[in-house]
């Protein structure tokens, strides 16, 4: 049993506008699911294709007020590509962001709703990930987080240390999931989180029980009666287990 990372879920005051931003940023298409929800998917996306980790934008009334514990790293293929992408993102409404990064080769930006993300300098490891190089999560213990999430999704661990862990789909496609050791303490529920999906033939209830046995806990973020289950990983980061299609 295992779960698939289906999408990165963003909260936004204006889901349509933020969805359009990320579609333009990634070169993907927009698929509106109804009022208050906008999906951004690779062109030609096939449901449950491990190559495509999508973006889902959900409307909420509260604005971004703190640096979130999860963000996207975008891949580039050359210094010129990095410069061009940063310039284009600024034209789309992104703004420079300072999270204490200092003098680094990557560029830190915030999307129009204040969600921080990075445009990386060219790195060989991300040459085949697509536009999203990695989904990065701040944490206190990368080793423990790698152990939990590796078991949760049956992903392959590529690198682990006291400061950083990197996993990727066992199929060797799509973006990486990375955990970065930071001193920050989680104080509010995450406006950016992961949505997981059971594989065809697997049971949502059984998967939730398996995650709880690994150290996850049920979480209440005011979701009410919904078909997905909200949990928190061992460091309190919320995520959702969707109902199988």
């Amino acid at each position: 049993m295992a779960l698939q990372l289906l999408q990165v879920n963003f909260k936004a005051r204006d889901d349509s506008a933020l969805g359009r931003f990320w579609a333009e940023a990634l070169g993907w298409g927009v698929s509106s699911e109804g009022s208050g929800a906008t999906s951004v998917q690779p062109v030609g996306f096939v449901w449950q294709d491990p190559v495509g980790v999508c973006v889902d934008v959900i409307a909420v009334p509260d604005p971004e007020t703190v640096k979130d514990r999860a963000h996207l790293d975008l891949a580039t293929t050359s210094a010129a590509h990095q410069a061009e992408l940063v310039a284009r993102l600024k034209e789309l409404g992104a703004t420079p962001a300072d999270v204490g990064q200092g003098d680094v080769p990557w560029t830190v930006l915030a999307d129009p709703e204040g969600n921080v993300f990075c445009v990386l300098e060219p790195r060989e490891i991300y040459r085949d990930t697509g536009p999203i190089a990695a989904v990065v999560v701040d944490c206190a213990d990368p080793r423990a987080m790698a152990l939990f999430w590796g078991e949760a999704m049956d992903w392959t661990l590529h690198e682990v240390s006291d400061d950083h862990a990197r996993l990727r789909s066992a199929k060797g496609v799509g973006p990486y999931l990375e955990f970065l050791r930071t001193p920050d303490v989680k104080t509010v529920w995450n406006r950016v989180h992961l949505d997981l999906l059971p594989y065809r033939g697997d049971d949502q209830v059984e998967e939730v029980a398996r995650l709880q046995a690994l150290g996850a806990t049920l979480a209440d973020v005011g979701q009410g009666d919904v078909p997905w289950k909200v949990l928190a990983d061992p460091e309190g980061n919320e995520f959702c287990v969707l109902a199988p299609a």
Side-chain angles (χ1 to χ4, degrees):
M1 298 178 69
L3 291 158
Q4 178 182 352
L5 175 55
L6 180 69
Q7 58 198 18
V8 181
N9 188 301
F10 284 79
K11 300 296 185 291
R13 294 184 299 278
D14 186 338
D15 63 286
S16 295
L18 191 62
R20 288 193 298 272
F21 169 85
W22 279 107
E24 290 287 342
L26 301 171
W28 290 357
V30 172
S31 171
S32 293
E33 299 174 341
S35 178
T38 301
S39 291
V40 179
Q41 301 174 343
V43 176
F45 173 72
V46 177
W47 184 250
Q48 289 192 286
D49 184 342
V51 173
V53 174
C54 303
V55 170
D56 202 39
V57 186
I58 305 297
V60 296
D62 55 311
E64 176 70 66
T65 57
V66 298
K67 175 182 177 291
D68 206 87
R69 292 178 65 80
H71 71 267
L72 299 183
D73 280 353
L74 305 188
T76 62
T77 57
S78 66
H81 181 207
Q82 182 186 18
E84 292 166 1
L85 180 57
V86 168
R88 185 166 64 84
L89 291 167
K90 289 180 179 178
E91 291 177 356
L92 293 171
T95 54
D98 186 349
V99 293
Q101 68 269 22
D103 184 16
V104 293
W106 59 90
T107 302
V108 184
L109 300 172
D111 71 18
E113 293 249 2
N115 301 297
V116 172
F117 64 99
C118 299
V119 180
L120 302 180
E121 76 284 4
R123 301 185 192 180
E124 180 65 18
I125 192 172
Y126 302 131
R127 69 188 184 281
D128 62 351
T129 61
I132 300 177
V135 182
V136 183
V137 181
D138 294 347
C139 68
D141 188 342
R143 293 183 184 276
M145 291 289 276
L147 180 62
F148 171 83
W149 283 97
E151 290 286 341
M153 299 194 301
D154 193 26
W155 277 28
T156 300
L157 181 63
H158 285 254
E159 177 186 340
V160 64
S161 70
D162 290 341
D163 296 316
H164 181 254
R166 177 182 287 126
L167 302 94
R168 198 183 192 191
S169 165
K171 294 181 173 62
V173 294
Y176 288 83
L177 177 62
E178 301 184 7
F179 297 96
L180 183 65
R181 187 184 187 95
T182 65
D184 301 333
V185 177
K186 184 176 184 293
T187 57
V188 297
W189 62 277
N190 294 342
R191 288 172 57 92
V192 179
H193 71 258
L194 306 182
D195 284 344
L196 310 183
L197 182 71
Y199 285 94
R200 289 185 178 92
D202 288 345
D203 182 78
Q204 182 193 44
V205 173
E206 292 179 359
E207 284 294 331
V208 168
R210 185 177 67 86
L211 292 168
Q212 289 178 283
L214 293 173
T217 54
L218 296 175
D220 186 352
V221 294
Q223 68 268 21
D225 184 15
V226 292
W228 58 88
K229 302 298 181 183
V230 184
L231 295 94
D233 69 18
E235 290 206 9
N237 300 300
E238 296 88 3
F239 65 97
C240 294
V241 178
L242 308 180

